[in-house]
């Protein structure tokens, strides 16, 4: 038995209980928390859905998901029976207000059984268009006036644009107080993403050089090898900019660029992050062309397998203008970052699944070595890899062994797996679900952050929507994206950094 503190008694109601997110991510995460002794001593999980299941079938369905998607597929023995006793299925029509009495009855039942009022968490793992109506019906329950114990968790996408995000925030704000609302961005739950804060603010070494005086530019890459994966209904209306840049990438950028928080209070950290978004330079529509590039994959080959082009995927329009790749050059107008471009890119069907952040330092101010000693001389670089490796590496010049003074770049690496073994890292959803049960909102997006991020990307979205792309498809699967993205960064004398080929 471990001795860490566990959250108070909690009931989790999962709307979309028979859906994919619960099957692949939430149930495995909750089960792993249970295996690690992080679940409250008293807890209940109630999946809510329209489909017919009895408890036994529902539990079997979740176990199937766990055996396929959990990070510890083989550790179910013995513990599953215990865990599954906490899982129930409530079949209900979420459109019908009267059906919500099932929820209140269930809470009362557990209260009587446990002899205490638990945290009540509503996790909306449903299609975005269902969120307002479910939130409204939940808001009508007395239960939701309890600011301390009742919480609502909203998945992305949070709105479709600035206006819809604003409307959703306004609606939720009428029904719940901001402390009760947990807007999930699963990137913020990733170990290495959280480690950005540790690297920056738990060490005296890095902060002094973490600014425009030493850093030349920053790159953030979130490339994927997967394509559309049967998600046309969602993705056709989304595209890469909404799907990845508006949320995950901008959140990561905020962690790289934020000022030091005074404390790790949820609002203090989020204040510092929103300051970054507010300092980011919005594009005029005329500037979008030179600062943002979109792409769409063609048909082609990946690892010997033929794959269809985006426009040939099931459910995609023949002339679809949806981008499956986006690259943007951002600027942050503040003292720390003035003049330092932040290049970000993301795309489907690219050469490698890789998420990383690179800070490229300025060249050494004077070069005293003979030129032949330094043919491979490169400026310093600090890279934080989130996938596939979890590591932090610093590149610097070293002398090659031998009689000649030959310099070459070498890496100093901190690798999570080497340091802690490869079963150390909780999945992002484990961290985030535990935080919700504990009532810690630090890693969740606040209303103003979401809107600030939308505001920033609106000119790009609007410009792209008003101008039909003439060159789509413009990149091949297994490549690093469209040539225009290379040209965009090359205009500044830089190149995208692809960590491994
Ligand atoms: C999701 C996007 O939010 O993040 C997906 O909707 C994307 O399109 C996924 O594939 C990437 O997450 P990860 O954790 O695999 O980098």
């Amino acid at each position: 038995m471990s001795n860490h503190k566990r959250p108070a008694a909690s009931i989790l109601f999962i709307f979309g209980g028979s859906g994919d997110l619960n099957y692949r991510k939430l149930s495995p995460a909750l089960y792993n928390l249970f295996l690690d002794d992080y679940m409250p001593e008293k807890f209940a999980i109630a999946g809510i859905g329209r489909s017919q299941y009895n408890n036994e079938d529902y539990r079997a369905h979740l176990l199937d998901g766990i055996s396929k998607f959990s990070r510890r597929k083989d550790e179910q023995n013995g513990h599953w029976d215990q865990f599954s006793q906490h899982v129930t299925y409530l079949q209900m029509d979420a459109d019908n207000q009267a059906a919500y009495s099932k929820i209140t009855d269930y809470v009362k039942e557990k209260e009587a059984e446990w002899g205490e009022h638990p945290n009540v968490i509503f996790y909306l793992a449903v299609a975005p268009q269902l969120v307002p109506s479910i939130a409204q019906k939940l808001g009508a329950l007395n239960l939701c006036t309890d600011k301390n114990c009742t919480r609502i968790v909203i998945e992305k996408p949070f709105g479709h644009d600035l206006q819809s995000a604003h409307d959703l925030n306004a609606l939720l704000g009428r029904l719940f107080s901001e402390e009760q609302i947990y807007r999930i961005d699963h990137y913020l739950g990733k170990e290495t993403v959280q480690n950005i804060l540790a690297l920056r603010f738990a060490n005296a070494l890095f902060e002094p050089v973490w600014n425009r005086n030493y850093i030349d530019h920053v790159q953030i890459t979130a490339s994927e090898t997967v394509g559309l994966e049967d998600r046309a209904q969602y993705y056709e209306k989304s595209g890469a900019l909404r799907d990845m840049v508006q949320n995950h990438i901008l959140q990561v950028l905020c962690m790289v660029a934020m000022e030091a928080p005074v404390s790790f209070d949820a609002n203090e950290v989020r204040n510092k992050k929103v300051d970054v978004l507010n300092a980011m330079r919005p594009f005029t529509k005329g500037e979008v062309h030179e600062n943002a590039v979109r792409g769409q994959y063609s048909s082609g080959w990946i690892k010997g397998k033929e794959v269809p082009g985006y426009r040939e995927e099931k459910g995609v329009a023949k002339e679809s203008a949806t981008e499956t790749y986006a690259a943007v050059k951002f600027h942050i107008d503040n003292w720390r970052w003035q003049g330092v471009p932040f290049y970000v890119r993301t795309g489907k069907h690219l050469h490698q699944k890789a998420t990383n952040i690179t800070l490229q330092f300025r060249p050494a101010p004077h070069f005293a070595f003979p030129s032949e000693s330094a043919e491979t001389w490169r400026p310093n670089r600090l890279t934080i890899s989130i996938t596939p490796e979890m590591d932090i590496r610093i590149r610097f010049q070293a002398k090659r062994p031998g009689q000649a003074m030959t310099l070459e770049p070498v890496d100093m690496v901190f690798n999570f797996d080497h340091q802690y073994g490869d079963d150390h890292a909780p999945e992002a959803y484990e961290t985030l679900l535990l935080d919700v049960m504990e009532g810690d909102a630090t890693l969740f997006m606040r209303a103003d952050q979401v809107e600030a991020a939308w505001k920033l990307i609106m000119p790009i979205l609007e410009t792209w929507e008003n101008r039909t792309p003439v060159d789509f498809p413009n990149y091949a699967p297994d490549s690093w994206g469209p040539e225009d993205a290379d040209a965009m960064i090359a205009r500044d004398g830089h190149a995208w950094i692809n960590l491994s080929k």
Side-chain angles (χ1 to χ4, degrees), residues 156 186-187 190 224 231 234 243-244 248 348 353:
K156 74 170 263 276
H186 79 276
Y187 266 54
K190 290 181 186 245
E224 298 191 87
R231 292 167 80 212
Y234 157 73
D243 186 46
M244 295 291 290
H248 306 323
K348 301 275 185 201
K353 167 86 182 159

Side-chain angles (χ1 to χ4, degrees), residues 82-97:
Q82 230 181 318
F83 175 81
S84 67
Q85 292 313 306
H86 298 261
V87 179
T88 317
Y89 185 70
L90 294 183
Q91 193 204 7
M92 68 175 249
D93 174 6
D95 281 341
N96 176 3
Q97 180 78 60

Side-chain angles (χ1 to χ4, degrees), residues 326-344:
V328 187
K329 171 182 164 186
F330 288 115
H331 286 281
I332 304 175
D333 287 331
N334 62 16
W335 273 61
R336 188 189 282 266
W337 296 117
Q338 190 55 249
V340 179
F342 280 68
Y343 302 98
V344 309

Side-chain angles (χ1 to χ4, degrees), residues 187 220-226 244 249 325 345-356 387-388 479-480 498:
Y187 266 54
I220 302 177
T221 295
S223 61
E224 298 191 87
T225 49
V226 294
M244 295 291 290
I249 290 186
Y325 175 99
R345 62 176 169 161
T346 183
K348 301 275 185 201
H349 268 344
L350 294 181
H351 181 61
Q352 196 193 15
K353 167 86 182 159
T355 311
N356 51 56
T387 32
S479 70
W480 276 109
N498 301 323

Side-chain angles (χ1 to χ4, degrees), residues 276-313:
V276 175
L277 291 169
N278 288 333
M280 288 176 76
R281 193 181 305 161
F283 299 122
T284 62
K285 290 194 180 150
E287 288 164 348
V288 168
H289 180 65
E290 51 194 272
N291 292 292
V293 170
R294 57 180 159 169
Q296 190 189 71
Y297 60 81
S298 64
S299 59
W301 294 82
I302 296 183
K303 295 197 172 63
K305 195 170 157 249
E306 195 164 11
V307 296
Y310 179 74
R311 289 177 174 177
E312 293 135 38
E313 300 265 20

